[in-house]
Amino acid sequence: MSNKPIQTNYPALYTLITVFFFWGFIAAGNSIFIPFCKNYFHLDQFQSQLIDFAYYTAYYTGALLLFIVGTVTGKDVVGKWGYKRSIVYGLLFSAFGAAAMIGAVEINVYAAMLIGLFIVALGFSLQQTAANSFAVILGDPKTGASRVNLGGGINSLGTTIGPLIIGFALFGTFETVSDADIANLPLSKVVYLYMGVGALFILAAALFHFSKKVPAGYNLEPMESANKARTTLIVMTALLFCAFAPVFLSYKSDAALQIESLQEQLNLESVVSAQESLKEQIAALRHPLELTRMGWLSAALVVIVGGLLFAYNRAKKKPEGWGAMQYPQLVLGMLALFLYVGIEVAIGSNLGELLTLEEFGSLQSSEITPYISMYWGSMMIGRWAGALSAFNLLDNTRKILLIIVPLVAFTLIIGVNSLAGFDMSVLYYYVICVLIQIAASFLSKDKPIRTLVIFGTFGLTAMIVGLLTSGTVAIYAFLTGGLACSIMWGSIFSLSIVGLGKYTEQGSAFLVMMILGGGILPPIQGKLADIIGIHNSYIVPVFGFLYIIAFAVLVKGFLKKQGIDMEKIEVEGSH
């Protein structure tokens, strides 16, 4: 038998990582799109967060549909098509979504734009399902994590550049545009943006399809049955629809229409006493309506938490039919990943509204781009540092790079935004937070449980500081949420799938579904912001970080009982 090492298919790998860039580019760009749409379409904070709802629920929907078809037919759909063809299909589907976005912009309807974005992300869901496994088979399986991490690094580069390009596309300039003027801006730039994005999707699909260097990547292994898990997920999805539907319908209710009418009168009224009377009437109608909406949204969160805990308890008593869900680390890990993605997205997506407050600088929507870029760039800082562990480096070399790489990434973010004409001097001292992240990386020692406890505590502390302060200190604290979240995906993923044996791939699919958190938590925080204010709404990430720390403690006990050596757990690549 030959001991010759398996060579990495670099042409195929370089083609593959282009899709990782697209995911980051669009996802981070949504944080700019949200405040723009809020002002352009005159939305409340919850309605603006439906951009995240459309984007991330598409990931969940796509993964769930693939799982349902796979368990019914007994074959992995993506594996049957081949990873190459699946990525081509996903890119073409995203291109169709880009065309739908262009059509939505032309008719100037917000709901249609959400549908277009949903279709784009549905294509991403298919791409992501195939891409991570594809990266592993493009060389020696032992170095598969490094290839996935390379994709994660390119993804993070997309998250850094995305806000800049999409901000320019929306506002037509890097100069300040007042929020009052946004409603009068032409949306033609968005048409050009999605024409370009759609063309890139088609070009990437053509590169994959016609490249002889990219293998088909078939996987014909049978899919493990999990009938009870499938039924539970379908019921949870139906209940989520039942929870969100009343909230959507409430915007056309008699109370909502009456509030809208009174608001129009208020905008035209010049007498102070009459204005106060109208405000009181609006408040009297709005408060109970907002509480009702918040109640339904809380029910949606209960559906997720309750559904997963139900699966955990039932599978513990009778594991047959639950597939990967019979393992407690997987079910609790699904909830951890749901909350992790949710708080990661919610912090960034609500940041634009936070910065409009007087105590946070009274920024216009067109002025938030460098802050959004720094937040998502913080993800890049952490992921680039985290990726070092996947390479065969000497210990001293790795320690030196663990200091240098984050600082280089920070400098890159500052440099790119400065070239775009933004004054970045207010963010220079954010390097202090980066240095704390570097220290946390040394303390975590590449051990998943230790990493989650340390970075979870880092994020929790940052959110509490942000809630108790204002101005630059609070801004830095909330931006630090990006540094804290940056390397959590790999640790949660690894701890959740360890010990699953033949259910490992199925467990991975369940975890990918939990990207749904990015579609559920931001609207919940948005509606909470409509009730208690945007600053106080950042209590939501506090609870997310608390659970992640608790998960790390709990999973340690479960893995010990299963006789798993935690010293041998390898961290998976970032999403």
Side-chain angles (χ1 to χ4, degrees):
M1 182 180 291
S2 173
N3 291 322
K4 186 178 180 181
I6 301 172
Q7 296 298 313
T8 298
N9 186 338
Y10 286 107
L13 179 62
Y14 297 148
T15 305
L16 175 64
I17 60 177
T18 57
V19 299
F20 283 79
F21 179 85
F22 290 145
W23 307 336
F25 179 88
I26 298 295
N30 286 343
S31 297
I32 298 293
F33 205 42
I34 286 168
F36 173 86
C37 286
K38 180 177 182 180
N39 289 288
Y40 187 88
F41 292 104
H42 306 292
L43 310 171
D44 65 22
Q45 189 62 10
F46 165 78
Q47 289 173 306
S48 72
Q49 295 297 311
L50 293 180
I51 289 172
D52 281 334
F53 176 80
Y55 185 81
Y56 289 99
T57 54
Y59 270 91
Y60 170 75
T61 303
L64 179 61
L65 289 174
L66 289 172
F67 170 69
I68 291 172
V69 173
T71 52
V72 169
T73 62
K75 293 183 179 179
D76 177 19
V77 178
V78 172
K80 183 180 177 182
W81 287 344
Y83 298 135
K84 176 179 178 177
R85 191 188 302 176
S86 296
I87 291 173
V88 171
Y89 289 163
L91 286 164
L92 292 176
F93 207 85
S94 293
F96 174 67
M101 278 290 287
I102 292 169
V105 170
E106 292 290 353
I107 62 174
N108 202 28
V109 175
Y110 181 58
M113 294 173 72
L114 295 178
I115 292 171
L117 192 60
F118 179 88
I119 297 172
V120 170
L122 205 56
F124 285 178
S125 176
L126 180 54
Q127 294 166 39
Q128 181 147 342
T129 302
N132 287 306
S133 298
F134 203 16
V136 173
I137 69 167
L138 290 178
D140 190 335
K142 293 179 181 179
T143 58
S146 66
R147 290 187 290 278
V148 175
N149 275 312
L150 176 61
I154 298 300
N155 174 277
S156 294
L157 184 62
T159 65
T160 302
I161 296 174
L164 290 168
I165 296 177
I166 290 180
F168 182 79
L170 293 174
F171 304 116
T173 177
F174 288 124
E175 301 296 326
T176 300
V177 177
S178 72
D179 289 346
D181 291 337
I182 285 177
N184 300 316
L185 288 175
L187 285 180
S188 57
K189 293 278 187 179
V190 181
V191 172
Y192 299 144
L193 171 68
Y194 274 92
M195 284 177 65
V197 168
L200 287 173
F201 289 150
I202 294 172
L203 177 61
L207 283 172
F208 269 91
H209 179 70
F210 293 109
S211 175
K212 295 180 180 179
K213 296 287 187 180
V214 180
Y218 292 110
N219 179 12
L220 303 179
E221 291 293 323
M223 178 171 279
E224 299 295 335
S225 63
N227 295 335
K228 293 178 181 177
R230 182 180 66 215
T231 301
T232 301
L233 288 168
I234 292 173
V235 171
M236 285 170 60
T237 304
L239 290 175
L240 278 175
F241 176 80
C242 292
F244 270 91
V247 182
F248 297 150
L249 294 173
S250 72
Y251 281 89
K252 293 298 181 183
S253 66
D254 291 340
L257 294 176
Q258 193 174 348
I259 290 171
E260 190 176 326
S261 176
L262 290 170
Q263 189 64 53
E264 290 175 359
Q265 293 179 45
L266 177 62
N267 294 336
L268 297 172
E269 185 60 63
S270 57
V271 180
V272 175
S273 59
Q275 287 179 347
E276 292 302 320
S277 176
L278 287 168
K279 288 178 181 178
E280 289 176 3
Q281 293 179 59
I282 291 171
L285 287 167
R286 177 171 285 160
H287 186 66
L289 181 60
E290 295 291 27
L291 289 178
T292 301
R293 289 168 175 166
M294 192 68 226
W296 283 110
L297 292 172
S298 299
L301 188 59
V302 169
V303 166
I304 299 295
V305 177
L308 291 175
L309 292 179
F310 168 82
Y312 167 73
N313 286 316
R314 287 302 180 96
K316 185 168 63 173
K317 295 175 183 176
K318 193 175 180 181
E320 291 79 12
W322 286 101
M325 282 192 180
Q326 66 186 270
Y327 294 91
Q329 65 264 35
L330 187 276
V331 179
L332 296 180
M334 288 171 69
L335 181 55
L337 211 67
F338 172 86
L339 292 171
Y340 151 70
V341 177
I343 61 177
E344 171 189 294
V345 176
I347 292 170
S349 295
N350 286 284
L351 191 60
E353 181 66 14
L354 182 76
L355 294 172
T356 64
L357 299 180
E358 183 178 353
E359 60 268 33
F360 285 88
S362 301
L363 300 184
Q364 302 295 313
S365 295
S366 60
E367 296 176 309
I368 69 170
T369 298
Y371 296 92
I372 299 298
S373 180
M374 182 59 77
Y375 174 75
W376 289 104
S378 294
M379 305 292 290
M380 180 178 74
I381 291 169
R383 286 174 182 170
W384 281 15
L388 294 173
S389 61
F391 297 93
N392 188 23
L393 300 171
L394 295 174
D395 189 51
N396 287 336
T397 302
R398 181 185 163 281
K399 287 179 180 178
I400 293 170
L401 289 177
L402 204 56
I403 297 171
I404 294 175
V405 168
L407 294 176
V408 168
F410 172 74
T411 304
L412 177 64
I413 299 163
I414 293 289
V416 169
N417 281 274
S418 296
L419 286 174
F422 291 107
D423 179 11
M424 299 298 289
S425 59
V426 70
L427 290 171
Y428 287 166
Y429 292 105
Y430 183 64
V431 72
I432 296 171
C433 301
V434 176
L435 292 173
I436 296 173
Q437 186 269 343
I438 292 171
S441 296
F442 275 99
L443 290 172
S444 64
K445 298 180 179 179
D446 291 329
K447 295 179 180 179
I449 291 175
R450 194 181 178 98
T451 296
L452 287 183
V453 171
I454 291 173
F455 277 84
T457 304
F458 184 32
L460 176 63
T461 304
M463 293 305 105
I464 292 173
V465 170
L467 283 166
L468 297 178
T469 59
S470 61
T472 303
V473 172
I475 291 172
Y476 279 17
F478 290 132
L479 291 177
T480 297
L483 293 172
C485 288
S486 61
I487 59 173
M488 284 186 172
W489 171 280
S491 296
I492 295 172
F493 211 98
S494 301
L495 291 169
S496 301
I497 63 172
V498 66
L500 267 58
K502 65 180 181 179
Y503 294 107
T504 299
E505 191 157 340
Q506 187 182 96
S508 298
F510 287 151
L511 289 169
V512 170
M513 289 181 201
M514 291 301 100
I515 290 176
L516 173 67
I520 303 296
L521 286 192
I524 288 177
Q525 184 175 341
K527 180 50 63 189
L528 193 60
D530 290 332
I531 298 171
I532 65 173
I534 187 65
H535 190 184
N536 292 329
S537 75
Y538 273 81
I539 191 70
V540 171
V542 168
F543 291 108
F545 282 121
L546 277 171
Y547 176 79
I548 289 169
I549 296 168
F551 165 72
V553 175
L554 289 171
V555 80
K556 183 177 182 180
F558 288 124
L559 298 182
K560 274 189 175 181
K561 286 181 181 178
Q562 295 171 26
I564 295 171
D565 185 358
M566 286 172 286
E567 295 295 323
K568 295 182 179 179
I569 300 175
E570 295 182 3
V571 178
E572 298 291 322
S574 59
H575 67 301

